[in-house]
Amino acid sequence: MAIVSRSRVLSVAIASVLLLATGCSGDSNSNGTGVSGVVKIGLLAPLGGANAEAGRDAQRGADLAASVVNAGADADLASTGIWGAGRAASLSIVTMDTESDRQRAVDATDRLVAEEHVAGMVGAFDAEATLDASQRAERLGTPFVSGDVPLSALTERGLSWFFRSGPDVRSFGGAFLSLLRGAERDGVARRRVAVLYGDRPEGHDLQAMLQELAEETDVELVAQVRYAPSDPDLTDEVGMIRAAAPDMVLFGALPGAGRALGDALGGLGYAPPGIVVYGAAAEAVPLAAVPGLDGRVSRQVGWSSLVAQANPLATEVSTRYQSAYGGPMTEAAAAAYTAVMVLARAIGAAGGLEPERIRSALVATNVPGAETVMPWEGVRFDVTHQNALAATVVEQATGGRFAVVYPRELATAAFSWPATDPGGRPAGAGATTGSGGGAGTGSGRADARSEG
């Protein structure tokens, strides 16, 4: 009985806030809205290929968002005033499989607009697919909301129709720097950082961000090592990182690279003081399971199931997801859910399906943090259409379980770093010999596959 009561109270509270946000106070028709019938939102997701699992989760998250929208204000969760039971419009998700291929993403964008007549689009998980699909959406004058690709270039192109609800690479960089500084003890600076990044746009973006961070702060970027996608042997790359003796390794993880890095570290008997995984967060799981790496592996995420427990709305949505799909809500699912909700709100605020009105509503979006499932202050787009209120969470693995260690106000455990060896020295101390000292000075590069 108590659970029913809590859900009912939560439903009424959410409905009231969202009705206010869209300027609706009752039935949508009474407000002269032009939104009625089935409204379609297109989802681009990789349902085949290496990223199929994330694509499946994204589809589930988007579908869940539509079901929540269509439930209306009489259900446990409610959405905007035009949607749901007894109102004029219902939401439908039309999913197109990109297979992580950029041309397929472009072709799917054309079909969604020309054949499915979608009111807007979300997706597409892969950096290159999102770049090209959003560029095509720009030419077609169709709103596009991305919740899952932090690539800087997406919001640096000056596009009018593209918006990113999730954090960008600079948000991850700021969190990384804050994590380092917050963990320092006794006034001893440990800011020698190595970056291991994939030869993909998101990898180069990470490397450029760290280079900029090193130039602007006291971070010492001692090694910048690039690896080839799908390379199963990262022994040479790990050797270069070991020679630089970093205090922390920032690992730009591509799908499958976590196991490859773990194998290389194990083969060389090298355990860095700390590794922070950026990108494919799931790659932190096999990496943390490598003998000797317990307590040394963290991951940066835009959404955390642990943080969600402190947010009533996130708890409700996560429970619905678990019930509907038989597994916990993932970051990919939460990102897609949020992107759909942001676009649905804008459609409601626009009061019509004219693309320019929806675009203008996205520009004016201002959603409080309590009304999202994310650990953010909310959703509000800046002049580049980046969500200025998106934030990053860092989780650290100890004993096979991840705990939130950043930001401190959301932490469920203290960040343990630098890890120490049995003699009390920082892990990895004394590992550098010979030419390693040269590789680890200043901001010198240690990159066997350097650009140019």
Side-chain angles (χ1 to χ4, degrees):
M1 192 68 176
I3 295 176
V4 174
S5 176
R6 178 177 64 82
S7 298
R8 189 167 298 165
V9 170
L10 179 61
S11 172
V12 172
I14 295 170
S16 299
V17 172
L18 294 178
L19 287 172
L20 178 62
T22 58
C24 300
S25 58
D27 184 83
S28 58
N29 290 328
S30 67
N31 288 279
T33 178
V35 183
S36 61
V38 176
V39 177
K40 297 178 181 179
I41 287 179
L43 168 68
L44 297 177
L47 302 181
N51 297 322
E53 184 176 354
R56 178 206 64 196
D57 290 347
Q59 183 175 26
R60 290 174 173 178
D63 287 341
L64 180 63
S67 70
V68 169
V69 166
N70 293 334
D74 294 331
D76 292 342
L77 297 169
S79 189
T80 63
I82 67 167
W83 304 105
R87 292 191 167 86
S90 62
L91 182 60
S92 175
I93 304 297
V94 182
T95 302
M96 293 282 183
D97 180 12
T98 66
E99 293 187 8
S100 297
D101 180 81
R102 56 199 313 170
Q103 186 57 52
R104 286 181 64 92
V106 170
D107 294 342
T109 300
D110 285 333
R111 293 198 301 275
L112 286 170
V113 175
E115 300 173 14
E116 298 293 341
H117 308 290
V118 296
M121 298 171 53
V122 300
F125 186 79
D126 301 279
E128 292 175 325
T130 305
L131 276 169
D132 290 2
S134 58
Q135 192 68 53
R136 180 57 59 89
E138 182 78 6
R139 295 177 185 173
L140 297 172
T142 301
F144 191 119
V145 179
S146 171
D148 48 32
V149 180
L151 192 70
S152 298
L154 287 169
T155 50
E156 291 178 346
R157 297 170 296 171
L159 300 185
S160 296
W161 297 88
F162 179 82
F163 297 80
R164 177 165 47 214
S165 56
D168 63 0
V169 70
R170 291 181 180 86
S171 172
F172 287 104
F176 180 70
L177 182 60
S178 296
L179 191 70
L180 293 186
R181 289 181 170 168
E184 288 177 348
R185 303 181 185 91
D186 303 324
V188 179
R190 295 186 176 95
R191 298 172 187 168
R192 293 170 54 82
V193 174
V195 57
L196 176 63
Y197 64 100
D199 192 10
R200 291 280 301 274
E202 56 268 46
H204 293 282
D205 197 39
L206 174 65
Q207 181 272 334
M209 180 273 294
L210 279 178
Q211 184 72 57
E212 183 178 321
L213 193 67
E215 293 170 356
E216 295 176 351
T217 69
D218 50 5
V219 166
E220 188 179 3
L221 193 53
V222 297
Q224 304 176 69
V225 183
R226 187 174 65 199
Y227 68 93
S230 303
D231 187 349
D233 186 1
L234 300 183
T235 302
D236 291 343
E237 290 82 353
V238 169
M240 286 184 281
I241 290 175
R242 180 178 183 174
D247 298 316
M248 181 70 76
V249 176
L250 185 53
F251 173 41
L254 298 174
R259 190 172 300 281
L261 176 57
D263 290 343
L265 290 170
L268 292 176
Y270 171 52
I275 303 173
V276 177
V277 175
Y278 165 88
E283 297 305 309
V285 177
L287 187 59
V290 174
L293 294 185
D294 186 42
R296 301 170 189 250
V297 177
S298 304
R299 61 184 182 187
Q300 295 184 330
V301 295
W303 181 85
S304 169
S305 60
L306 298 172
V307 175
Q309 296 171 10
N311 180 335
L313 177 59
T315 300
E316 286 284 331
V317 172
S318 297
T319 300
R320 282 173 172 257
Y321 187 93
Q322 177 83 40
S323 176
Y325 304 113
M329 196 170 194
T330 65
E331 184 176 10
Y337 178 94
T338 301
V340 169
M341 282 299 194
V342 168
L343 187 50
R345 270 180 175 259
I347 294 170
L353 297 181
E354 204 279 317
E356 182 57 46
R357 293 175 67 179
I358 298 173
R359 193 198 76 83
S360 296
L362 283 168
V363 170
T365 294
N366 190 2
V367 183
E371 295 174 27
T372 78
V373 300
M374 297 303 207
W376 307 338
E377 294 182 13
V379 181
R380 185 175 68 239
F381 297 111
D382 63 19
V383 293
T384 70
H385 296 174
Q386 165 63 35
N387 178 15
L389 303 181
T392 299
V393 170
V394 180
E395 299 176 336
Q396 186 173 42
T398 304
R401 294 188 176 185
F402 284 89
V404 176
V405 295
Y406 178 88
R408 286 187 175 183
E409 60 269 22
L410 300 176
T412 59
F415 181 45
S416 176
W417 176 81
T420 56
D421 64 20
R425 300 175 302 164
T432 304
T433 59
S435 62
T441 59
S443 58
R445 296 175 63 89
D447 189 347
R449 300 183 177 93
S450 59
E451 293 78 9

